[in-house]
Amino acid sequence: MEIKRRDFLKGIAGGAALALAQPALALAREKSRLPDAVGILYDATLCIGCKACMVGCRKANNLPAETIGPQKLWDNPIDLSARTLNIIKKYVSGTGEYKDREINGFSFIKRHCMHCVDPACVSACPASAMTKDKKIGIVSYNKDACIGCRYCQVACPFNIPKFEWDNPFPQIVKCQLCNHLLAKGELPGCCDACPTGASLFGPAAALLEEAKRRQKMQPGSYYDFPVSTITSGKIQYQQAAQYIPRIYGENEVGGAQVLMLAGVPFEKLGLPDLPSGSYVALAENIQHTLYKGMILPIVAFGGLIFLVKRSDKNKE
Ligand code: SF4
Ligand code: SF4
Ligand code: SF4
């Protein structure tokens, strides 16, 4: 898969900040999912678009509704924002008759932080305000360390972090996999609220195995699908849909702890079509190549000499 120019620049932005701000972080980067990593498997074919996960997310994170219209009756955000960490969107094509079909069909899709294996936001942050947990791999944000540069926003290939533009003391806002609830032994709000198991919490390795199991299912046949967590014991017995042969998040930009399954190609569902390699690693390689043999400092020094000489000539 080719890297698009905009996505490439995002990778470079993350990597450039890494090189300029804190090269030591590069040494701490993860190359694969941690053994105890946790995550979410979102299965669009099980999603009924009820948005209970969005309500659960608001409740879990104490976030107000995003109302529209003069009477402010409905919570109806149109995208992720500083007040919406998780959103369900809908794809419709043609007559929109068939669920999980690309042609004349429809599908839901859930968007929130992917909790990347090698997160560009963490690498880009010059203040270590974005960090990846060394045990369970959750990417979280520390408002006290943040300097408001928004490098994380620029670097994220999934366009996830949002900024509180309307706050005099703004913060970056994004899903932190409800780490405050996990610490108390509770479930992420979205997975707890989801009635169908479309949002499923669990160890990332087990979720990947589950996603692979579903890809082998015979469409139309009945199978067991766990609800809330992969280990909860709550099971729904239902028909398997026709999945597209891709587990989104398995490999994209180095992989993620949030995985997705769907019956409609992910690009149609609004997810970026990203390559499998980590952007952070790519940017780092480019920087290492430039610095190798001191090429970059020599070029910079040459440029300075040229400017000084030109300035002297002008004075003469
Ligand atoms: S999706 Fe974006 S914000 Fe979330 S961990 Fe990955 S790079 Fe960071
Ligand atoms: S894990 Fe928590 S913060 Fe993230 S989308 Fe789910 S409920 Fe929201
Ligand atoms: S709660 Fe579950 S079924 Fe309802 S919209 Fe969210 S993911 Fe889909």
Side-chain angles (χ1 to χ4, degrees):
M1 187 183 306
E2 281 186 16
I3 299 175
K4 294 190 184 100
R5 185 172 166 268
R6 184 169 164 273
D7 296 334
F8 176 78
L9 290 175
K10 268 184 172 282
I12 295 301
L18 166 74
L20 293 171
Q22 47 180 170
L25 254 189
L27 302 173
R29 283 182 26 233
E30 301 300 337
K31 300 229 172 356
S32 55
R33 283 177 198 86
L34 295 163
D36 294 327
V38 294
I40 291 175
L41 171 61
Y42 170 74
D43 187 335
T45 74
L46 299 180
C47 182
I48 54 172
C50 65
K51 300 191 178 181
C53 54
M54 291 175 61
V55 178
C57 183
R58 288 210 185 290
K59 214 169 133 195
N61 293 284
N62 205 19
L63 288 166
E66 282 202 77
T67 50
I68 54 162
Q71 294 177 306
K72 300 198 177 299
L73 285 178
W74 306 107
D75 178 18
N76 199 9
I78 53 169
D79 210 336
L80 295 177
S81 74
R83 290 206 236 346
T84 299
L85 310 185
N86 155 32
I87 192 160
I88 295 289
K89 295 186 173 186
K90 190 178 179 188
Y91 160 86
V92 184
S93 133
T95 59
E97 286 171 75
Y98 308 106
K99 183 153 181 350
D100 306 308
R101 292 245 198 107
E102 187 182 350
I103 312 288
N104 290 333
F106 69 96
S107 172
F108 299 103
I109 186 71
K110 186 176 182 232
R111 297 300 312 274
H112 53 68
C113 176
M114 299 292 289
H115 295 276
C116 302
V117 168
D118 191 6
C121 60
V122 171
S123 294
C125 178
S128 297
M130 286 284 183
T131 51
K132 184 172 174 69
D133 186 278
K134 290 190 167 34
K135 187 159 170 59
I136 57 175
I138 291 177
V139 178
S140 52
Y141 167 74
N142 176 1
K143 66 176 169 43
D144 297 325
C146 179
I147 55 170
C149 65
R150 300 190 292 114
Y151 281 10
C152 56
Q153 270 197 299
V154 178
C156 174
F158 300 98
N159 287 322
I160 298 297
K162 301 298 168 204
F163 191 65
E164 290 180 322
W165 291 103
D166 55 355
N167 185 343
F169 303 103
Q171 294 178 24
I172 289 289
V173 184
K174 74 167 198 77
C175 155
Q176 302 186 72
L177 237 163
C178 285
N179 49 8
H180 61 299
L181 296 180
L182 297 184
K184 293 191 278 180
E186 296 174 27
L187 287 176
C190 56
C191 300
D192 200 23
C194 179
T196 67
S199 283
L200 187 69
F201 174 76
L207 294 176
L208 184 56
E209 283 313 304
E210 174 66 8
K212 288 179 178 168
R213 178 183 79 99
R214 292 183 192 184
Q215 295 240 297
K216 289 188 196 132
M217 289 174 177
Q218 189 65 37
S221 298
Y222 281 79
Y223 295 89
D224 286 346
F225 289 86
V227 178
S228 299
T229 74
I230 199 156
T231 49
S232 69
K234 274 195 275 175
I235 300 287
Q236 295 214 24
Y237 185 61
Q238 56 193 45
Q239 263 182 320
Q242 174 83 56
Y243 292 102
I244 56 155
R246 180 175 181 184
I247 302 170
Y248 194 89
E250 183 182 9
N251 299 311
E252 282 72 12
V253 283
Q257 292 174 209
V258 170
L259 304 168
M260 299 195 188
L261 292 172
V264 172
F266 289 103
E267 310 87 83
K268 294 276 167 80
L269 300 179
L271 286 160
D273 193 14
L274 298 166
S276 58
S278 156
Y279 280 173
V280 182
L282 171 68
E284 213 176 66
N285 283 342
I286 292 170
Q287 288 153 20
H288 286 174
T289 310
L290 285 175
Y291 276 102
K292 206 172 176 184
M294 298 297 283
I295 295 172
L296 197 61
I298 289 168
V299 170
F301 188 60
L304 275 176
I305 290 174
F306 170 76
L307 287 175
V308 169
K309 284 205 165 183
R310 194 175 64 175
S311 165
D312 285 350
K313 207 173 174 186
N314 288 344
K315 274 184 204 155
E316 278 166 27

